[in-house]
Each structure stands twice: as structure tokens, then as C-alpha cells.
């Protein structure tokens, strides 16, 4: 594997008494779409600003393209940023905004003009050069911010929650456009977001952050299927947590007694944090199924009573009370043709498999 | 940890560096001169010669001689009256602009309130002399309407005239802070009060007024502190019984050639005003704390 | 019904208040064009004489020139000092910040006579001569707090990400300040210049204490007030000053709106 484009070791950042970053170490690979995901206040934006050079780390060091960034100010770093509110200069036209960073780099006016036009075309804003920021929609402003940063051909493009200000439809459209753009230009993107769906759909790899440190760095699939602990599992998608008692190690895994579901042998790779100390069993809603009639089969079957029904059109989410489990368990069913929707109070047989149980610390 | 300390102090250094020109200016032209005035107030002057032996003589004179005491008390009384009068005048206007004027027209109204103050300060005061004078606008109108036979003489060259003129001069400075405080009141609080059963009057007394108190207090201090040092208004419309401490300070510095006594009077006035302001602030804080607790 | 009643009372008060507020400003031009030598009612006739008389008054022109020099220099210096302090207070945390800012804002509430007296004492003790510069020193002191207040609002309203974006796009701190910060706070700077210019132009007490042989306009007016025969021309002078002030204000407001339209920010809020 090639040399990482960003290598951070032991990055600390304190604001007064508050430790925003607690020794973050990670690597970002060349050309990947990388996301920093976490709840607000977890330090993801601070980490991005450390990379950009707006915040100086209290400790630790950072290499970008193999070059140490100690004392290198933001204007000398090979990174460019798309700000959360886009920060499109209101007193300049779109073209002047895009030209802003080029001015000091390219002396030839025609060449500059050509690059500005190319950048605007790349983000689909041909002919918008003479407009001012207040004449643009939120989505267009974001494109200007993108063009303005990409025209400088940065080693790494930093995006600080760029989609959070857009409405749902536009956000989904921009997600796919950003992904395409990233593939087209081949530049490494680092995206900060608090939206787990956004991080999963767009990224090659995601770093999940809590309280100033990275809890897990993995591909979206691994993140969803093999979360390292309870916090990550709860933050990415929906997860049912069920009490569990460890019975003992068996060849190839560990035997546990899951409340309400019974004894099961869990393979070692489904217990990423080990089985020492307090652990719970985690099972995703879509790993549980309602067995409507006798022809529906499952590896293991239990029974429960429907408590709540949330109907989403394509899916129905049921909260099911299962004997022996304190809290109702959430279960998701795809609404395929002819499939009934159950009502609260209905009894149902619930099917599940040992391969879908995770043991989490 | 040392790195941390180094960085924090770098931001502090940048901030201090940036503020230093302004701070230096204020230190050189405000703090140092004030210190010199304090020093001067302990010296004595006899005709044009200044004796630099430290003495409390000036303060003894300033605080015990009836004329200075009377002037000081009168200045305080006039300032207090002006403050109360101005705030009472200003409050309904601030309330009107904040609650009854549509948002888009608020700047226009604030502008309207300030226009008269783009007339020259001196000429404005002089015009009050014309309005209140023996042959002035008020008397002329009253006689013309047959309401009175003789022009009224009690409206010019006395303390009433000073209070009225000063209130006119300071009323926009009182309107603005009260307006700002009223604007800050979350309108849903008023709706909540109404929803909980308060009528307009009770709602005003229990919600609006307490929340506007910081603005009222700021307005009071903004008016009270500078008016004590006003020089022009008492000279033009005050008459002999309307003169204030500033006129005496000027007299000591210029015609009477007793700068140290003038300095002692100025320092005394400043100390008294500061003391009153601090007590006022403290009382207010206690009042607010009491309500909060 | 009760709401309507309350509103009406408020409206009556409003009218009375506006009459009180505008009385001097309205009477000023009335007497300026009144032909009587006595500034009093009843009015006698219409005349331009008092304006014509002003044109022949040599000292008036000197005083006006002095005042303009003082006001322009004061406006520039106070705005520069105000910019430093406003930037420091909105952008940086530093030790004793509250105390430092409180101290530089102090002249806002200090009686002007105290400022005048203390500067007079210093200048006399140092054995210096009173000149236009002594007045400028005092005026910069009292104008700076106003500039700080106005400029702080501007800097506060300036989204920090604009400056960061400029820096991120490869521009130096200096270029960022010139190309981004200054243009975006320009309305505040214009307002600061205008307000300090106007305060200086109209300030009397400090000028009265610190003027040597060269009088400023208010000091000159103070001299006129004592001569009854000069009062009508004083009214004419006051009228001119009022008109000039208002033109200046309207022009400034126009510039501000132009700027606001260009940047697309909401064109509300005025200079005061």
C-alpha cells in the first residue's frame, strides 16, 4: 500500500481546560473519500481545522504528503476547505471568488480565466461567473465553494459539514454529485459529518469519533457489521441491545445465554471487543424476521407480542415484547407484495440466526 | 503543558498587542492627566504661583464652604431630576418603537428620534432660551390664546429650565438603551404571561418592566453621569440660581486663577458621581438577584 | 377595546413628545429667515439678510476651517484607534480584557469637563501652548469609545469563516485584511468616521478649555451668543449646519445601502 497522504500521531488540542482532541492518531490514504463522523462536540471539526491549519495542536504532529506541518500556516498548506456556511465572499462575484486563490499563483490573466471557467464548468455553474453570492441558492453557493477550492488542485480537500444546510432532496443529490466529483478529480476528500447515513453512503472509510478520540476507523460495511463497541453500534444505524451472560469458551467462539433468546455459540469475530467485563448482545432490526406462516423458517425461533408499529411505506418497524427481555426489541420488515402489516397486540413468531448476534462491550 | 501555556499566551499577546495603541493613548491622555489633576488638587495656588506642598486645604474648602456645598448639592439634585425626567420621557417612546412599529420601519423611527440632535448643541440650547423666554414661544402662545395676561417668568433662568433643556438633550441617549433592552425580550415570554392569565397591566409590571430594567439602568447612568458636568445649559438658561458645579470649576481654572481648588472640586464631583453610580448598580444587582433567587 | 385605548394614549404622548423633540430644530430656520433683529415672536417678515451677513464674517470662516481640520483628523485617528480596540476585543481573549476595554470606553461616561480640565492641566504643566492639536487630542479621546462601539458591532457581524477561507485559499494575513476584512466592515468604518467627525465638529466644552487663539466653530458661536444683535445670523448659521449634517447623513446612509445591496445583506439598521 502506498504512503498515506495524511499521517497524524498523538494530536492533542485543548481549549483552556477542555480537551477537544485526546491524542488522535490516524492515516488517510491517497485518493480516498474519508469521513469523520461523530455527534456534535466530539472533536471532528476541531480535527479538520487542525489539518487545515486553523488550529494548532497542543501536542502531536501531522504530515501531509510526507511533509511535517509544524508551524506551517493555513495559507501554505496543500489543503483547501469547503466551509459549513460556504463562506462565499459576499462582495465579490462568483468568478472573483473562484479566481481569489489563483491570483497569487498564476500571473497570466488568460490562463487564470481559463482555469476559472473550467472549475465553474466542473461544478455545473457555467455562465454564473458574474453573479453575486446573494443571487445564488444554497446549493449553488456550495458549488462555488467547491470550485474555489478545487481550482487550486489541493492535495486534500476538506469539507466541514457541507450538506447540513441543504434540504433533504438537494442533500441527496449533492451527495452523489460530490462522490462523482471526487472520483473524477481523484483528490483525497475528508468530510466532516454528524449524519451517519451520509458517511456510510459516500465514504471509502469512516472514522467514528467520540469525546475527542477515534472509536473506530473502518469501511462503511465493517462499521455497520462489526462495530467495535456499544457506542459505535448505537451511533451507526439502529441496534437492539440485549442482556447476555457468558457461559464459557467453546472451540471457534464463545457460548452465551442471551436473555429471551436462549443459548447460542457466537464466533470469535463477532465479539470484536472480547468477552471480558460487562458485555451486551447486539442484533440489528433487519436480522430479526416475523414468521407469518409455517412455510417461513429460521434457524432459531422465539415468540413475542407486537407493542408499537411504525409504517414507513417500504418498511415496517415493529417494537416487539419478548418474554425475558426488559425493553421491546425493534424489528424491521420489508413490505413485499401481499405481506400483512401486524397490529399492536398481535402475537408473532420471531425468527433469528446465531450469525447475526454481536457481543459488544 | 508548557506548549499549552505558550500558545494561550500567544493569543493573549496578539490581543494585547492589538489593543495597545488604543490603551496607550487612553493611559497617556486620560489616566496620566487624571492622576495629575488629583495631584494638583493637593497643591495650592496663590495668584499665578503654584505651591507644591501637599495639603487637604482645597478639599476642606470644597466640602465645607457653603457656596461650593450648595453648588454641589444643586448639581446632584438637577442631575437626579434630569435622569428621572429623561427616563420617564424616554420609556414610552422606546416601548412604542419596540412594540408598535413594524420591524422594517424601526430604523426609520430611530433615525427620526435622532435627527434633532444634528443641530448644533449650543444653538439648540440657545433655542430653548428663545422658547422659554419672556417674549418666547411659550409665553407668546399663552398670551395670544388669552390663557394668561402677563408673560410667565418662572420658566426661564431657573432650575426648571435647566432640567427641561438637559432632558431634551439627553433623551435619545436614554431611548436607545431602553429600546435595545425591550428588543431583547423574547416575545413568547409576553405571550406566556398572557396565556397564564396576566392582563396587559400586570403583564407589563411583572414581565416587560423587570426584563427592561437593565436598559433603564443603563439609560439612567448614561444620563446621570455626564449631566453633572454640564457647563453650557446652566450658563445659558439657568440664571444665577441654576448654575452648577461645572461653571464653578471653569471659573476656578480660568478667571479665579485657583486651579488646585478647581481640581479638588472636579475630583470631588467625580468621586461623588462614581459612588452614587456604584451604589445604584449594586442595588440593582441585589434587586435582580433577589428576583432570580 | 382596551388595546385600542392604550394605543391611543401612547399615540397622543408620541405626538406631544415629537413636538417637544423637534421644537428647536423647527424654530431654527423660522428665525433664520425672520427679518426682525430680535429672535422672538411675533415674526415680522422674510429675509435672506442673515445669511448674507454670514458671508461677510471673516472670523466665521477661520473658525469653520479650524473645526473642519480638527474634525477630519479626529475622525481618522479615532477610527484607527477604534479599529485596533474593536478588533482586539472581538477576536482575541487576553488578560484583564474587561478592565482594559472598560478603561478605553470610560470617556463615554466621563463628564467632558473632566477631560477638558485634565488635559488643560497637563498641557499647562508641560509648558506647552494650546493649539488645534490640543483640541484634537481631547476629541480623539472622547470619540474613540463611539468608534469602538460601532466597529465592534461590525467586526462581530463579520463571519470569521470569510477570513479563514481567504487564508485557506493561500492568501497572507495582510492580503486577507485588505481584500476581505476591510471591504466587509467598510460600512462600520464609514459610520465610525462620520459619527466621530460629527461629535468633534459639535463639541464645545473640551474645545472651550483647550483652544488657544484659534477658535473652533462652537467656541465662535459661544462668543456670538452674548451679542444680541448677532443672534439672527447665529440662527442662519445653525440652519446651514443642520442642513449640512442632514445631507451628510443621507449621503452616508445611501452609501451604506449601496454596500448592503452589493453584498446582499439585509438593508436594515441605521447609523445610530
Amino acid at each position: 500500500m502506498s504512503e498515506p497522504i495524511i499521517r497524524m500521531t498523538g494530536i492533542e488540542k485543548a481549549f483552556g481546560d477542555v480537551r477537544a482532541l485526546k491524542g488522535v492518531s490516524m492515516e488517510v490514504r491517497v485518493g480516498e473519500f474519508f469521513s469523520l463522523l461523530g455527534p456534535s462536540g466530539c472533536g471532528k471539526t476541531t480535527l479538520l481545522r487542525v489539518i487545515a491549519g486553523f488550529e494548532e495542536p497542543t501536542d502531536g504532529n501531522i504530515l501531509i504528503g510526507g511533509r511535517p506541518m509544524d508551524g506551517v500556516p493555513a495559507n501554505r498548506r496543500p489543503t483547501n476547505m469547503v466551509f459549513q456556511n460556504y463562506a462565499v465572499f459576499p462582495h465579490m462575484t462568483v468568478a472573483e471568488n473562484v479566481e481569489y486563490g489563483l491570483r497569487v499563483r498564476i500571473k497570466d490573466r488568460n490562463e487564470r480565466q481559463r482555469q476559472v471557467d473550467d472549475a465553474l464548468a466542473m461544478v455545473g455553474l457555467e455562465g454564473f461567473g458574474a453573479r453575486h453570492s446573494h443571487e445564488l441558492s444554497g446549493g449553488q453557493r456550495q458549488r462555488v465553494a467547491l470550485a474555489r477550492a478545487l481550482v487550486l488542485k489541493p492535495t486534500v480537500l476538506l469539507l466541514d459539514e457541507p450538506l447540513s444546510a441543504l434540504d433533504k432532496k438537494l442533500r441527496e443529490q449533492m451527495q452523489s454529485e460530490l462522490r462523482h466529483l471526487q472520483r473524477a478529480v481523484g483528490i483525497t476528500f475528508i468530510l466532516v459529518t454528524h449524519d451517519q447515513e451520509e458517511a456510510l453512503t459516500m465514504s471509502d472509510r469512516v472514522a467514528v469519533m467520540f469525546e475527542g478520540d477515534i472509536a473506530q476507523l473502518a469501511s462503511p460495511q465493517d462499521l455497520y457489521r462489526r462495530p467495535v463497541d456499544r457506542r459505535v453500534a448505537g451511533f451507526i444505524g439502529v441496534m437492539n441491545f440485549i442482556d447476555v451472560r457468558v457461559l464459557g469458551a467453546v472451540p471457534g467462539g464463545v457460548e452465551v445465554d442471551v436473555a429471551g433468546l436462549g443459548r447460542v455459540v457466537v464466533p470469535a469475530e463477532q465479539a470484536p471487543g472480547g468477552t471480558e467485563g460487562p458485555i451486551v448482545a447486539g442484533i440489528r432490526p433487519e436480522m430479526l424476521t416475523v414468521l407469518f406462516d409455517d412455510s417461513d423458517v429460521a434457524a432459531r425461533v422465539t415468540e413475542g407480542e407486537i407493542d408499537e408499529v411504525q409504517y414507513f411505506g417500504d418498511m415496517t418497524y415493529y417494537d416487539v415484547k419478548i418474554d425475558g427481555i426488559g425493553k421491546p426489541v425493534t424489528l424491521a420488515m420489508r413490505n413485499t407484495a401481499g405481506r400483512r402489516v401486524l397490529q399492536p397486540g398481535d402475537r408473532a413468531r420471531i425468527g433469528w440466526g446465531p450469525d447475526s448476534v454481536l457481543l459488544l462491550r | 503543558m508548557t506548549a499549552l501555556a505558550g500558545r494561550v499566551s500567544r493569543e493573549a499577546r496578539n490581543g494585547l498587542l492589538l489593543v495597545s495603541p488604543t490603551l496607550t493613548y487612553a493611559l497617556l491622555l486620560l489616566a496620566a492627566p487624571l492622576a495629575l489633576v488629583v495631584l494638583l488638587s493637593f497643591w495650592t495656588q496663590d495668584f499665578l504661583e503654584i505651591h507644591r506642598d501637599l495639603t487637604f486645604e482645597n478639599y476642606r474648602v470644597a466640602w465645607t464652604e457653603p457656596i461650593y456645598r450648595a453648588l454641589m448639592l444643586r448639581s446632584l439634585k438637577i442631575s437626579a431630576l434630569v435622569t428621572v425626567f429623561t427616563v420617564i420621557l424616554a420609556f414610552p417612546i422606546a416601548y412604542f418603537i419596540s412594540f408598535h412599529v413594524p420591524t422594517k420601519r424601526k430604523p426609520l423611527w430611530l433615525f427620526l428620534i435622532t435627527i434633532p440632535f444634528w443641530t448644533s448643541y449650543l444653538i439648540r440650547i440657545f433655542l430653548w432660551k428663545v422658547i422659554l423666554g419672556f417674549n418666547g414661544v411659550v409665553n407668546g402662545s399663552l398670551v395670544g390664546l388669552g390663557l394668561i395676561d402677563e408673560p410667565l417668568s418662572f420658566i426661564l433662568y431657573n432650575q426648571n429650565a435647566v432640567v427641561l433643556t438637559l432632558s431634551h438633550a439627553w433623551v435619545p441617549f436614554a431611548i436607545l438603551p431602553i429600546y435595545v433592552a425591550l428588543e431583547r425580550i423574547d416575545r413568547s415570554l409576553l405571550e406566556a404571561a398572557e396565556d397564564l392569565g396576566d392582563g396587559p397591566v400586570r403583564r407589563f409590571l411583572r414581565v416587560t418592566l423587570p426584563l427592561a430594567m437593565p436598559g433603564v439602568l443603563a439609560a439612567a447612568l448614561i444620563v446621570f453621569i455626564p449631566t453633572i458636568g454640564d457647563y453650557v445649559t446652566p450658563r445659558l438658561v439657568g440664571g444665577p440660581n441654576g448654575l452648577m458645579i461645572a461653571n464653578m470649576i471653569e471659573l476656578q481654572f480660568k478667571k479665579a486663577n485657583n486651579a488646585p481648588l478647581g481640581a479638588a472640586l472636579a475630583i470631588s464631583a467625580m468621586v461623588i458621581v462614581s459612588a452614587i453610580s456604584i451604589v445604584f448598580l449594586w442595588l440593582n444587582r441585589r434587586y435582580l438577584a433577589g428576583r432570580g433567587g | 377595546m382596551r388595546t385600542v385605548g392604550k394605543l391611543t394614549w401612547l399615540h397622543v404622548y408620541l405626538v406631544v413628545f415629537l413636538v417637544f423633540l423637534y421644537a428647536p430644530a423647527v424654530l431654527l430656520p423660522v428665525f433664520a429667515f425672520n427679518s426682525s433683529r430680535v429672535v422672538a415672536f411675533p415674526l415680522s417678515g422674510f429675509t435672506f439678510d442673515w445669511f448674507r451677513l454670514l458671508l461677510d464674517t471673516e472670523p466665521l470662516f477661520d473658525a469653520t476651517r479650524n473645526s473642519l481640520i480638527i474634525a477630519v483628523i479626529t475622525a481618522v485617528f479615532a477610527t484607527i484607534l477604534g479599529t485596533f480596540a474593536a478588533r482586539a476585543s472581538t477576536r482575541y481573549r487576553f488578560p484583564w480584557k474587561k478592565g482594559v476595554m472598560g478603561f478605553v470606553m470610560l470617556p463615554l461616561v466621563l463628564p467632558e469637563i473632566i477631560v477638558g480640565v485634565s488635559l488643560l492641566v497637563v498641557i499647562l504643566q508641560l509648558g506647552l501652548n494650546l493649539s488645534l492639536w490640543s483640541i484634537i487630542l481631547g476629541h480623539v479621546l472622547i470619540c474613540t469609545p463611539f468608534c469602538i462601539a460601532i466597529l465592534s458591532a461590525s467586526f462581530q457581524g463579520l463571519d470569521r469563516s470569510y477570513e479563514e477561507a481567504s487564508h485557506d485559499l493561500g492568501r497572507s494575513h495582510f492580503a486577507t485584511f485588505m481584500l476581505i476584512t476591510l471591504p466587509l466592515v467598510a460600512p462600520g468604518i464609514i459610520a465610525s468616521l462620520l459619527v466621530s467627525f460629527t461629535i468633534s465638529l459639535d463639541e464645545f466644552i473640551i474645545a472651550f478649555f483647550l483652544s488657544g487663539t484659534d477658535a473652533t466653530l462652537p467656541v465662535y458661536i459661544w462668543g456670538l451668543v452674548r451679542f444680541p444683535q448677532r443672534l439672527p445670523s447665529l440662527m442662519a448659521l445653525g440652519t446651514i449646519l443642520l442642513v449640512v449634517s442632514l445631507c451628510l447623513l443621507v449621503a452616508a446612509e445611501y452609501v451604506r445601502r449601496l454596500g448592503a445591496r452589493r453584498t446582499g445583506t439585509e438593508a436594515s439598521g441605521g447609523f445610530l
Side-chain angles (χ1 to χ4, degrees), chain B residues 22 25 89 112 118 225 254, chain C residues 13 22 81 109 137 198 208:
Chain B
T22 318
Y25 192 86
L89 273 179
L112 215 64
W118 297 92
I225 300 173
K254 293 203 157 165
Chain C
Y13 174 75
Y22 274 85
L81 289 179
V109 289
L137 290 179
T198 315
F208 183 52

Side-chain angles (χ1 to χ4, degrees), chain A residues 18-20 38-46 161 194 209-212:
Chain A
V18 184
R19 278 177 82 199
S40 62
C42 70
K44 57 190 190 299
T45 295
T46 306
E161 305 229 12
H194 63 267
M209 292 185 70
F210 290 107
E211 291 163 13

Side-chain angles (χ1 to χ4, degrees), chain C residues 136-148:
Chain C
I136 291 171
L137 290 179
H139 281 185
V140 170
L141 193 65
I142 59 160
C143 288
T144 304
F146 286 94
C147 299
I148 295 175

Side-chain angles (χ1 to χ4, degrees), chain C residues 167-240:
Chain C
H167 207 215
D168 184 65
L169 293 168
R171 290 303 188 83
S172 65
H173 280 295
F174 180 72
T176 298
F177 189 76
M178 298 307 287
L179 294 171
I180 305 296
T181 315
L182 269 190
L184 290 179
V185 298
I189 288 177
I190 293 171
S192 164
L193 286 171
L194 184 86
V195 166
S196 43
F197 177 85
T198 315
I199 291 172
S200 168
L201 202 64
D202 198 32
E203 201 287 329
F204 168 67
I205 295 179
I206 291 173
F208 183 52
F209 269 84
L210 300 181
S211 61
T213 46
D214 295 324
T216 67
L217 200 51
V219 173
Y220 175 73
I221 291 172
W222 180 249
L224 285 189
V225 169
R226 281 179 250 168
F227 301 101
Q229 72 274 20
R230 304 299 304 275
L231 289 180
S233 48
L234 186 62
M235 296 294 113
L237 178 58
T239 306
I240 294 172

Side-chain angles (χ1 to χ4, degrees), chain A residues 49 80-81 85 91 100 103, chain C residues 159 164 166 168 171 179:
Chain A
R49 292 170 59 83
N80 287 114
M81 174 116 107
N85 59 357
H91 58 304
Y100 189 82
R103 283 238 162 159
Chain C
D159 192 327
E164 285 181 344
S166 163
D168 184 65
R171 290 303 188 83
L179 294 171

Side-chain angles (χ1 to χ4, degrees), chain B residues 212-232:
Chain B
M213 268 324 270
V216 172
L217 182 78
L221 288 181
I222 283 175
V223 175
F224 179 72
I225 300 173
T227 45
I228 201 111
D230 197 82
Y231 170 83
V232 181

Side-chain angles (χ1 to χ4, degrees), chain A residues 49 52 54 73-75 79-81 83 85 87-92 97 100-101 103-104 132 134 148-149 152, chain C residues 93 159-173 175-176 179-180 183-184 261-265:
Chain A
R49 292 170 59 83
F54 296 133
N75 56 338
T79 57
N80 287 114
M81 174 116 107
F83 288 79
N85 59 357
V88 173
F89 304 131
H91 58 304
M92 297 180 188
N97 264 281
Y100 189 82
R103 283 238 162 159
V104 279
H132 274 95
H134 60 96
R148 185 174 72 176
L152 299 176
Chain C
R93 282 170 300 171
D159 192 327
R160 197 169 166 174
S161 63
Y162 289 131
E163 290 166 315
E164 285 181 344
S166 163
H167 207 215
D168 184 65
L169 293 168
R171 290 303 188 83
S172 65
H173 280 295
T176 298
L179 294 171
I180 305 296
L184 290 179
R261 198 173 317 135
R262 212 163 51 117
T263 57
T265 41

